[in-house]
């Protein structure tokens, strides 16, 4: 019963209140400017209902034993992590890039760990709320956004130091029955077509930032939630249908205009209980971590889509056997392989947290995600290089079908004599969508920043990496220390990370 | 009398025949989809009429001694080359990238050399035709496209080997009064708003390709010329006016459907006179060379525009003093400086050709253009990196001005407390135009391929570079040769290049 | 009984005939110029005898069930591959880089697969010879060189086309009791201190190259084997002992001057039995493959040694907290992690061959090895960058201990006040050994070329990667094909590879 | 009379006191370990005496009108700067890299500007001392080291904050007749074979660092000067003579053990006259600037030497026509061209200082030097890549000439059939010297750090670059500012730089 169809999901969206703003007016979730993103989400329902994908796009709930959509699963084994990664990769192939639905489940996994750890440390009982909420998720095959990035105001100041106290999402009021929150989150992919929004902190919080230590979930059309929506779609096609032309993105600049959240949907409340504040940073980092692990699935797929397009156009252009062409394609393929391998080994080395949820290796996950981020623009460059200028100078589709110019347009687009004019046309039209459209621009930025920029991954990676241990190698080799212990790479586990936060901020958490 | 105003130019366009096809129907040159490109061309007229730019955007005709627009000038000194480069750079700053008008004058300079050399070698009198045409150009301040890139069909085959003989533009008929040409050229920037189209060969031609050794000029609305037009513009703004939002591009896929060209506008006719065939490659390369030298003006400007935006958003984001931020901006700035320096030294080392026209150094011009091409995607990456995700997730403009959401939208966009919400908004809206729009995608591809991809520049550069001489250094150092002559970098001059072609193809040119 | 001590090994070397040539005369294997390499090999015996390394540096023979040195083990499980990789990495930490003993066992694993496949295909019984030889190896804890790289003469010609037929090692005579071989192999690391030399082909062979399809093993001091030895060692230390100063390299340019090899030590004989010829290429590639997989163990270790030195000198120079310093160290660490992960996933995905030996994934192994090779010079650059010039301008050790200058030398080397002058001295002296010595130069080249250059890995990787399958992604997305099969990366397995060779060369192998 | 011969110079060295320490004892300047460096210096005398180099390796003294060695010239025109750059490049070709004599004249040019500016500002008369000293230089064709880099102790502390006050060179006593200095300088290339040592500050100094604001010149064997010398040479050759084998480097760790400097050789004395302190930073930066401009001559030459070797070995290996080979060589050549062009344009844009000395453009000089530094390791990688492993595994020379192995060694080294075995041998032996020797390691570090690491060049470049002006471009394009002034790159001139220092440190200089 846990797996829903796309139509069931769509009918839920149809019933939601209008709180999306696009171009100066409110609009429905079925607005055609959101069709591109819905097309992507559709894949995540269709695959879970596709017998061929059984066990990959589906999982077994550890709560109920029911078969569920893997996008609602809490990872309880290495295999769960491996399959999540592989499912992500394969669906991304079908939508030409971002799967759009990873962040909800990444947030849920992070919450499963943090609520449990917090309960253990403080004697709170947030886990109960979380599990009820998870049950709702799994039963209804929920699609959600995770709203993490605060607008942040002056980046050199902490939340409580800002001129305007609302520049980080904050708890305006904490009451027994719930909290009232105010602020805004940006870069909220999928939010316009999500059932739910899960809000979590964007950074760690000091004990002066208690009001900002907040996490909760609300329906996406909840009172006071206002979404300023930014869609990006490809040019509509009239003649040549193609999946690449149908996909799109939609982002939300989400305002929480004094939103009341009932207590059972609150997962972190530093204002009501300041002991909870250190868990804000823990949750922020753990979501980012699960999200980056998802990127070790989607980014290789993005690279593969680009490599695939590069290989195809090289064939169509008749240059597939040139040395430099093979070298360039091979470069993209190599990046994809390495990033995917990083995610796989992260899964193989995953640690089981106290809650039972598995946490992948952080150093490798970050090393993998970082490489993908560093290479994304270069990969677009390679495709453009092999395609030639035509991908950016293609006349409109109509010119290829009109009476007056159609014949000429098709005559001259011929390249590889083994490829029909129509396929040549499809290839370059597809390339236009893939690498020179507005959506392509969005995908470049997302490829760089999504889940955190390379800069952030370097910081995270080095925070986990035990550089002091590594130095013992040079000390031994240089004769500064006599012995070299059988060096094993040591990393900072999530539990140690939490302990650090607690020390740093003098939390009274035991 | 040689300098015209934008309005005079525009009124010429208004009188032209409709031979542009966009979206299934014919359209005027004043179609609003071409407004973005016209906005760019406008700068090239306005600056020539701006007293502050006198001597930079203007030049003195070597034909008449008249003051002319520098975009119609034949370079007769090192200073001409330096000023052309600097003018290009400065206008590009004003239009956020491509100046759109370089290729016409680049073609004219190449023709000035090649027609003269050909006349000297063969006793033809093409120079006379060329000078008459140049006079017309300078008197009327002509804007032109240079149509070089053939559609090329199977890239592994030469023109005469193609399945369809029309896949390279060819002379179907050569008559005393002129020629009839058939074929198509692509990637024709500016053609939709040009007065003229100058067609030249895309590669060297063997004596089996005589029909394809062709160069000529026709008015852009000439009988049989059909342009399939691809415009790219930014989203229209309602509230926040900004130059970046007004600019655009338009490209043409130009079909020559049995076009008759009168003899006085023919500059190369290998069908009528096969001795002319070797000059096809010479012309192809020389246009590319002048065009690449123009890129040493526009590409540094593009880099500077990107660096400028990067520096601005870094300030607005409050991260300007971070080490990595300065390093990244400095990287772009360094590339801009090096590419511009390459163009300058190319000018300082220019050789005067027999025609009197100056030809810049080829090795350096190619080295500079190549660096720019290799870095363009990386520069976009740096801007995106420093901007953060918001540049790709910005809600529409209306949301910032509507009653219902305007106040909230502006409240939360605040970052650096010294910067107003409106300027923050302008900055990110500008970034969206600059790096995540469809136009940005086109500019990336143009930055890579325009004037030839890095691959082509490597080939050209190494064809000119005298590697055998360079090897004498290692031979001396390794004791293989006893003496090292005072090594001076030797390059292959245009004249030597022509001699090579003649030898290669057994031309009867003396 | 399979594990020997370093002293036992050394005494074997002591008994060998003199066939090493260094500086114009024959020398013993105990020549002090070989001490550096012996110091490395020593680790491989000591660790196998170290209880703490039990199960990692030791393995269980699949032949006898005995405990053996892992450097003599045939991989019979994923775990064997993982442990070989990890052992390699950890020993490399102890010797500052190359472990020097991988190639022997890499050759043995390749032979285990190829001899078996050949016997199956041709009905030969080479496996018996191989297993006897393996038994000898395991019982005696043999150290061996694998001599693969032929001198190759004109690289554009095949073996049989060379001016001098001996430029690839060839079978001069094939007799019932054995073969006589003539030729030379180069770049033979470890050969000067090896018990044995295993010779294998360097490339695939056509049916005109039957004489060159040859593989065998001989004792390193066998009649007719002449080694022209090139050692590289660090400056001897008088005062400051350190492992980095003790290690060294030795390479052999090995001439086979009509060497007779008894039949039981011949593993491939294309002259005697031309049906065996296709297996030459198979063996060449499979050895390269196992060797590259070993590099996924040693290269991360080399990177880690360099990162470790970089981190140490950054601390000593007091710049450890600078952004750019952390970024640079993190870059090396990230490369190490990714390359190691590539090797691990290659192991996880290993296929069991018919012989029972496990073969790691080729695409990933090559992607990993290639990244390491591409980065090696950059890693040296980073260490030099953080060290500053002093690592290359250090006065000799004596100046720090002499009466006249010792006090001054030590006074001024002080940097970080928490670090003693002696440790500062040790650090920079160590850095000198690590990055500016002759040995460092050798290690750079080895880091690039060892196991094959990035160029070779690109070729191998793309030969295995199923690019046609990948293209189906773009074809689906662009609307060229209707369906996208659940795309799984397909690779070319060793068996398929062999079949290809057979087809290519019309082998009569069934 | 200003130009001396190498023998005259050598005889001066022969008369100097022994104050060099190598390997525990004092040694002469004719010690054979210094022969490699002397071989380099020899070129700088020989070329000035070579009629073919007249006007390039010689100049005309602005003091006396005499013909002098250009290595003693103060640049009084753009042409002087261009010729210095070109001379540097061409001599570097002859010595396979570093010319070793640039730093003396770079220091003299910096002093010519700073002493003059100081006199103007403070009414001192240091210029007189400087000009007398310059006269001595020009008359005697002096070779000098410039000792700039202090040992620096704790890099996070300023000179006066160090635990040991001597960790920056300081004035222990300032008397009317001179100063007494104490401290040490490192990385002093050429000092072991220099006539003179010129000491200058390594950074700017605050008014608490007056004692450290010091500049002066002393004969290299002056009382109290002790040099701890570090030579690096290639293996001696017995049979195959080659320039590459003869060159070497020597560096000094120079201790100033309470050295008295007579007043007429003191150029900066912040202890005696604290108003002089701000000129310390000015001098430090200006020397670095001239030195980096020299690098725009030598680094392109180094790149060209490497490209030359790469091209030669590619020919000898028979791979010269491979795409990737041409691409790689072209990459090095392109870097060389761009760096040289940067230096040339820096010269064209040079400003005449008040003293009459020309100062090249700083932004471009730094951009050029930085690119060279960033690429140096990559260039070694490319040579190694095209050479293959043999360059690092070559048997000793003797093996190719001995009776027992000579014939075999020469037989098997044959590659390209058009190249003799001896030339093959010379090529690989030369490559060994060039890229895998200890000297090669020193040259890599020097290529990175000499004149300042890329990090330092970024800092300098951005300190001069007027980023605020550049931002006006984005402000205009984004609609934040209405007008864009005709943007010309603005830079911070040396005079402005000095004014900044004065403001920063509250100097009483007018």
């Amino acid at each position: 019963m846990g797996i829903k169809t796309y139509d069931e999901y769509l009918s839920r969206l149809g019933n939601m209140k209008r709180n999306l703003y696009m171009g100066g007016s409110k609009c429905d979730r079925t607005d055609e400017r959101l069709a591109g993103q819905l097309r992507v989400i559709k894949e995540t329902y269709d695959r879970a209902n596709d017998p061929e994908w059984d066990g990959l796009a589906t999982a077994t709930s550890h709560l109920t034993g029911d078969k569920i959509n893997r996008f609602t699963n809490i990872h309880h084994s290495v295999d769960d992590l491996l399959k999540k990664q592989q499912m992500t990769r394969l669906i991304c192939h079908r939508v030409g890039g971002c799967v759009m639905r990873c962040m909800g489940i990444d947030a849920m996994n992070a919450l499963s760990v943090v609520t449990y750890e917090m309960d253990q440390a403080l004697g709170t009982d947030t886990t109960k709320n979380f599990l009820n909420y998870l049950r709702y998720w799994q039963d209804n095959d929920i699609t959600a956004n995770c709203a993490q990035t605060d607008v942040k105001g002056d980046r050199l100041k902490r939340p409580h130091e800002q001129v305007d106290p609302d520049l980080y999402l904050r708890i305006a009021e904490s009451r027994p029955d719930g909290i009232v929150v105010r602020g805004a989150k940006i870069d909220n992919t999928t939010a316009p077509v999500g059932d739910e929004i899960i809000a979590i902190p964007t950074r760690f919080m000091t004990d002066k930032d208690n009001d900002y230590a907040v996490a909760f979930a609300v329906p996406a059309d909840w009172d006071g939630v206002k979404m300023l929506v930014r869609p990006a779609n490809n040019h509509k096609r009239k003649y040549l249908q193609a999946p690449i032309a149908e996909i799109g993105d939609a982002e939300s600049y989400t305002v929480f205009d004094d939103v009341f959240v009932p207590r059972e949907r609150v997962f972190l409340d530093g204002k009501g209980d300041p002991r909870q504040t250190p868990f804000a940073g823990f949750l922020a980092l753990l979501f980012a971590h699960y999200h980056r692990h998802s990127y070790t699935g989607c980014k290789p797929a993005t690279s593969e889509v680009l490599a695939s397009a590069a290989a195809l156009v090289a064939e169509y252009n008749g240059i597939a056997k040139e040395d430099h062409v093979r070298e360039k394609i091979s470069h993209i393929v190599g990046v994809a392989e390495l990033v995917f391998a990083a995610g796989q080994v992260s899964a193989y080395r995953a640690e089981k947290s106290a809650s039972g949820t598995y946490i992948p290796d952080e150093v490798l996950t970050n090393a993998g995600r970082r490489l993908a981020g560093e290479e994304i623009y270069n990969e677009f460059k390679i495709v453009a290089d092999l395609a030639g200028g035509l991908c950016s100078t293609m006349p409109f589709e109509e010119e290829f079908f009109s009476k007056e110019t159609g014949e000429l347009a098709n005559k001259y687009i011929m390249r590889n004599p083994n490829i029909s004019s129509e396929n040549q046309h499809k290839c370059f039209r597809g390339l236009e969508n893939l690498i020179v459209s507005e959506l392509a621009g969005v995908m470049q930025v997302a490829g760089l920043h999504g889940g955190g920029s390379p800069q952030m991954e370097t910081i995270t990676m080095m925070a986990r990496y035990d550089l002091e241990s590594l130095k013992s190698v040079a000390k031994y080799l240089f004769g500064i220390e006599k012995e070299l212990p059988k060096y094993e790479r040591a990393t900072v586990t999530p539990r140690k990370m939490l302990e650090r936060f607690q020390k740093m901020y003098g939390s009274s958490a035991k």
Side-chain angles (χ1 to χ4, degrees), chain A:
Chain A
M1 69 151 289
I3 299 174
K4 300 298 178 191
T5 65
Y6 175 64
D7 286 343
E8 288 169 312
Y9 153 77
L10 206 59
S11 102
R12 290 199 305 250
L13 291 196
N15 292 327
M16 289 172 82
K17 279 184 295 190
R18 290 175 126 202
N19 63 337
L20 311 184
Y21 299 84
M22 257 194 290
S25 58
K26 284 192 186 180
C27 63
D28 288 321
R29 279 156 170 86
T30 51
D31 188 284
E32 76 164 347
R33 288 168 292 184
L34 300 179
Q37 188 163 65
L38 286 170
R39 176 65 187 79
V40 177
I41 300 294
K42 181 172 187 297
E43 283 290 334
T44 70
Y45 288 97
D46 286 358
R47 296 289 72 74
N49 286 285
D50 179 344
E52 216 188 315
W53 290 63
D54 193 41
L56 182 62
T58 64
T60 303
S61 168
H62 77 287
L63 287 183
T64 61
D66 287 350
K67 188 201 276 195
I68 54 174
N69 191 319
R70 191 170 286 283
F71 279 106
T72 66
N73 183 49
I74 302 300
H75 318 303
H76 270 72
S77 67
V78 164
D79 192 57
D80 269 353
L81 285 166
L82 290 170
K83 284 199 171 132
K84 189 256 314 193
Q85 191 198 11
Q86 177 72 342
M87 168 189 71
T88 303
R89 183 189 209 171
L90 296 188
I91 296 184
C92 288
H93 286 152
R94 301 183 64 83
V95 296
C98 180
V99 72
M100 306 269 170
R101 201 178 161 188
C102 52
M103 78 194 69
I105 194 57
D106 294 335
M108 294 298 276
N109 274 275
L111 283 169
S112 79
V113 175
V114 176
T115 54
Y116 191 92
E117 294 282 338
M118 188 166 79
D119 287 358
Q120 292 299 104
L122 309 180
T124 47
D125 65 346
T126 321
T127 298
K128 194 190 62 193
N129 287 344
F130 170 73
L131 291 178
N132 284 337
Y133 183 63
L134 174 63
R135 180 74 192 264
Y136 164 71
W137 254 66
Q138 294 187 336
D139 287 352
N140 293 284
D141 204 348
I142 291 297
T143 290
N145 163 260
C146 176
Q148 176 172 46
T149 307
D150 287 285
V151 293
K152 288 188 290 197
D154 184 344
R155 271 133 183 80
L156 301 180
K157 295 210 168 111
R158 303 198 57 75
H160 74 277
E161 296 167 339
Q162 300 288 332
V163 174
D164 176 346
D166 303 339
L167 292 176
Y168 282 76
L169 181 66
R170 71 185 177 93
I171 306 174
E173 196 182 347
S174 177
R175 314 187 318 219
D177 60 339
I179 58 176
V180 176
V181 296
R182 184 187 306 154
K185 297 274 189 177
I186 51 170
D187 300 346
N188 297 157
T189 312
T190 316
V193 301
D195 296 296
E196 292 270 324
I197 293 175
I198 300 170
I200 63 165
T202 203
R203 61 186 294 175
F204 54 81
M205 299 291 169
T206 69
D207 53 12
K208 292 187 178 159
D209 299 313
N210 290 329
D211 292 6
Y212 301 91
V214 59
F216 60 86
V218 287
D221 62 346
W222 197 242
D223 277 359
V225 172
K226 297 176 181 177
M227 296 198 207
L228 283 47
V229 176
R230 163 56 186 253
N233 292 292
N234 283 318
H235 293 288
K236 278 252 158 69
R237 304 259 187 110
K238 273 194 203 159
Y239 302 95
L240 299 175
Q241 300 315 313
I244 193 74
E246 296 164 10
I247 60 164
D249 178 54
E251 305 280 340
S252 169
Y253 180 129
T254 310
V255 180
F256 294 86
D257 201 9
D258 285 342
V259 171
F260 173 74
V261 185
R263 182 58 64 187
E264 67 270 18
R265 278 171 159 269
V266 175
F267 307 122
L268 188 72
D269 175 5
K271 187 181 184 77
D273 177 2
R275 297 176 310 154
Q276 296 185 16
T277 300
F279 292 87
F282 189 32
L283 179 54
L285 287 169
L286 208 55
F287 164 70
H289 179 42
Y290 277 110
H291 202 38
R292 286 173 198 167
H293 189 261
S294 287
Y295 272 87
T296 68
C298 69
K299 287 305 163 207
T302 298
S303 298
E304 285 162 344
V305 167
L306 291 166
S308 175
L312 187 68
V313 76
E315 178 195 338
Y316 281 23
N317 279 344
I319 57 171
K321 285 177 185 165
E322 299 285 312
D323 264 13
H324 76 96
V325 172
R326 286 186 79 77
E327 164 67 29
K328 285 164 186 167
I329 293 171
S330 158
H331 180 79
I332 310 183
V333 165
V335 169
E337 291 287 322
L338 289 167
V339 175
F340 197 77
Q344 279 195 296
V345 175
S346 295
Y348 282 120
R349 295 187 191 160
E351 287 180 8
K352 186 177 179 173
S353 72
S355 69
T357 307
Y358 275 61
I359 304 178
D361 182 85
E362 289 190 274
V363 170
L364 258 173
T365 293
N366 279 283
R369 168 65 187 99
R370 181 175 66 174
L371 180 62
E374 283 168 344
E375 288 289 333
I376 185 72
Y377 277 83
N378 188 38
E379 292 171 353
F380 274 83
K381 174 186 166 190
I382 290 172
V383 183
D385 186 6
L386 304 190
L390 185 58
C391 63
S392 69
T393 63
M394 278 290 281
F396 289 124
E397 212 187 357
E398 291 86 343
E399 268 60 72
F400 289 80
F401 292 89
S402 83
K403 208 168 157 183
E404 205 163 356
T405 62
E407 201 176 332
L408 290 167
N410 281 295
K411 169 186 171 82
Y412 286 115
I413 204 171
M414 209 273 275
R415 297 188 165 205
N416 186 326
N418 302 317
I419 310 295
S420 69
S421 285
E422 183 171 294
N423 281 349
Q424 286 284 7
H425 184 182
K426 280 178 179 169
C427 178
F428 281 94
R429 182 94 30 222
L431 283 165
E432 177 197 307
N433 291 159
L434 188 65
I435 68 166
V436 289
S437 64
E438 182 174 35
L439 182 58
V442 174
M443 288 300 116
Q444 288 177 344
V445 177
L448 183 67
H449 281 293
S453 63
Q455 204 72 21
M456 288 307 304
E457 281 127 29
T458 295
I459 290 169
T460 307
M461 191 176 138
M462 295 316 281
R464 297 303 165 274
Y465 194 90
D466 191 343
L467 203 60
E468 288 310 308
S469 290
L470 184 68
K471 280 190 214 165
S472 64
V473 173
K475 285 180 184 167
Y476 168 76
L477 289 170
F478 293 176
I480 292 167
E481 284 179 3
K482 286 288 168 235
E483 294 299 327
L484 176 62
K486 194 167 105 188
Y487 168 73
E488 301 274 356
R489 193 194 67 163
T491 59
V492 179
T493 59
R495 181 166 297 274
K496 280 194 211 151
M497 178 168 75
L498 177 60
E499 283 160 14
R500 281 191 189 174
F501 286 135
Q502 290 173 342
K503 252 185 239 160
M504 247 191 286
Y505 303 114
S507 155
S508 55
K510 57 175 173 172

